[in-house]
Amino acid sequence: MGNINLDTDFYESEDPIWNPALLTIPVPGIRRMVNLAADLDDVIHLSIGQPDFKPPGHVIQAGVDALNAGQTGYTMDAGLPELLEALADYYSTRYGRPLSPENLMITTGATEAIYLALTATSAPGREFIVPDPSFMLYGPLIRMNGGTVKSIATRAENDHQLDPQEVIDAMGPNTFAVVLNSPSNPTGTIYPRETIEAIVEEAAYRGIHVISDEVYDHLIYDGREYPSVLSCCSDLDHVMVISSFSKTFSMAGMRVGWLIGSQGAIKKLRRYHMFTTTVANTPCQWAGVAALRGSNNFIDAMVEEYQQRRDRLVELVEQTPHLTGYRPEGAFYLFPSLPEGVDGANVALKMLRETGVCTISGDTFGEAGKSALRISYSTSLDQIEEAFERIIPWMKKQNFS
């Protein structure tokens, strides 16, 4: 391999063999940090964005039973009928609006659902409004298909809330869609119902789509009710909602997600889906049926544990020099700010090398996060405590003036 740097050369090469659209895809900041951490000893990860719980036993058993029963072939392209029925029933009950299996399509994780929703709609001349910071997939997927991104910056001092009027003011003749992610990765922010309703109502009036990534929709703290786009829209004609089992039931590696939309949109996206992954993992779709048909005890216990971790992490960040935090209301992330002008990527890298604590630099998630870090609390309280026993004295020694 010579001196090739696999983290950069593939992405930055202008060799004509590669589609030029690849140049719109940045080097993944999360992978870069995790790869660097792999070469170090005694690393504490506050970087990983997946639950540290085992899935419920009955969910695992349902997947095993499906394998033993020979359920290893392709499903229908839209997904396992039993899972589509279970999801339609679940969402109809949760949000009090009737959904049919024809409003749903099963995908290989939420990642494929995001890919389908954005690449099937992005095109030259179409503009997408995206919060900044936001999950790192949105912008590149839009740009690689010729679309443009109009960013709406959020700030830690405002709990990274999205100003609905700012979003509405950003809508123009070329605006095709608004991309929402609540609770947010990387901020953990939940947009209140009035924000969602204002954006959805104005978007519907203007014929603008709303694409809502709701994969953290069950990781909600302080007894809050979750305001899904599904509960804030009058119809699904300009709405697509994405979710998965990955966070809710700790099934990240099982790769089962879904997309909810109008029947017309689902028909079009099914055709596109057949040329990407064809179908999602069949035994794991059966595991998903078991997850939906079972009790919520697993979710309730997980949310209680995450809320305790959240509370302690907020306290620790408050005690840390040079970090400005807030109180996230969902997901398992905190996105504290560093002093203005400080390069978060340099801080994350130096802190990893000198303390062995791995965080993710904020610029991974957009321009507004350049002076920030993403901290994940999807790890034990003991690990969080130990991490800050290293971070706090290290931060005290830093001079960012």
Side-chain angles (χ1 to χ4, degrees):
M1 298 293 290
N3 294 319
I4 292 176
N5 183 336
L6 291 177
D7 277 340
T8 58
D9 289 359
F10 174 81
Y11 292 90
E12 297 177 359
S13 170
E14 295 187 15
D15 189 314
I17 192 174
W18 304 115
N19 186 329
L22 285 177
L23 296 174
T24 68
I25 303 176
V27 179
I30 296 174
R31 193 185 76 169
R32 183 172 61 240
M33 291 299 292
V34 172
N35 286 356
L36 287 169
D39 294 328
L40 303 175
D41 296 325
D42 190 26
V43 171
I44 298 175
H45 276 282
L46 302 182
S47 54
I48 305 300
Q50 67 177 10
D52 61 329
F53 296 82
K54 290 182 179 179
H58 71 283
V59 171
I60 296 173
Q61 189 59 51
V64 172
D65 290 345
L67 286 166
N68 287 330
Q71 298 285 350
T72 57
Y74 298 126
T75 65
M76 297 286 289
D77 61 272
L80 184 73
E82 289 83 352
L83 180 55
L84 293 169
E85 287 278 359
L87 281 166
D89 291 346
Y90 182 82
Y91 277 102
S92 296
T93 300
R94 188 179 187 195
Y95 296 123
R97 66 176 306 147
L99 289 178
S100 73
E102 288 74 29
N103 291 122
L104 286 132
M105 179 179 67
I106 309 302
T107 57
T108 303
T111 299
E112 190 207 354
I114 294 167
Y115 176 87
L116 294 175
L118 292 178
T119 60
T121 58
S122 181
R126 289 183 174 181
E127 182 179 82
F128 290 69
I129 297 173
V130 181
D132 183 1
S134 66
F135 186 43
M136 60 185 184
L137 285 186
Y138 309 143
L141 289 176
I142 293 164
R143 294 185 185 102
M144 73 186 292
N145 288 276
T148 58
V149 174
K150 179 178 281 189
S151 298
I152 304 293
T154 64
R155 296 283 183 265
E157 55 265 30
N158 297 322
D159 297 340
H160 285 289
Q161 282 295 336
L162 191 62
D163 182 344
Q165 191 58 52
E166 195 172 353
V167 175
I168 291 168
D169 290 345
M171 294 177 180
N174 295 324
T175 304
F176 179 81
V178 178
V179 179
L180 300 176
N181 176 210
S182 173
S184 163
N185 177 6
T187 67
T189 299
I190 297 176
Y191 304 143
R193 178 171 297 278
E194 53 267 28
T195 293
I196 301 292
E197 287 179 341
I199 293 171
V200 168
E201 182 179 337
E202 185 67 22
Y205 174 73
R206 298 182 184 223
I208 293 171
H209 290 71
V210 175
I211 299 170
S212 184
D213 178 354
E214 302 186 0
V215 297
Y216 296 95
D217 61 347
H218 286 79
L219 301 187
I220 311 297
Y221 310 128
D222 307 316
R224 287 198 52 170
E225 180 182 343
Y226 176 64
S228 168
V229 163
L230 288 173
S231 64
C232 297
C233 63
S234 58
D235 57 55
L236 300 177
D237 287 348
H238 292 88
V239 167
M240 286 188 275
V241 173
I242 291 157
S243 195
S244 79
F245 292 115
S246 295
K247 319 300 179 182
T248 306
F249 290 96
S250 198
M251 294 166 59
M254 299 172 81
R255 310 312 301 137
V256 181
W258 53 87
L259 192 149
I260 303 171
S262 68
Q263 293 187 21
I266 294 299
K267 285 180 180 178
K268 289 183 173 65
L269 289 170
R270 281 175 61 180
R271 186 168 56 187
Y272 190 15
H273 168 63
M274 291 172 65
F275 284 87
T276 52
T277 63
T278 308
V279 296
N281 183 299
T282 299
C284 292
Q285 290 190 63
W286 282 107
V289 174
L292 292 169
R293 299 298 193 202
S295 77
N296 285 333
N297 292 343
F298 173 83
I299 301 172
D300 294 342
M302 183 169 61
V303 167
E304 182 179 355
E305 173 65 23
Y306 280 140
Q307 184 168 314
Q308 292 177 10
R309 296 178 190 179
R310 185 277 312 264
D311 291 345
R312 182 55 179 151
L313 179 59
V314 168
E315 293 174 349
L316 290 167
V317 167
E318 287 177 351
Q319 299 168 21
T320 304
H322 309 302
L323 285 183
T324 300
Y326 55 97
R327 190 176 180 83
E329 296 174 310
F332 38 60
Y333 305 110
L334 184 65
F335 200 74
S337 296
L338 291 156
E340 187 174 354
V342 173
D343 189 327
N346 288 341
V347 173
L349 182 58
K350 187 179 181 185
M351 187 164 68
L352 172 61
R353 288 173 172 166
E354 296 182 6
T355 72
V357 177
C358 186
T359 59
I360 304 300
S361 61
D363 62 353
T364 300
F365 307 95
E367 289 292 316
K370 280 191 171 182
S371 295
L373 301 172
R374 191 193 76 173
I375 297 174
S376 169
Y377 50 95
S378 63
T379 189
S380 70
L381 267 173
D382 288 343
Q383 287 281 280
I384 293 168
E385 295 280 1
E386 185 178 344
F388 276 84
E389 287 175 6
R390 303 180 190 184
I391 291 173
I392 291 174
W394 183 83
M395 278 290 196
K396 287 180 178 177
K397 298 176 184 177
Q398 305 309 305
N399 182 2
F400 294 131
S401 60

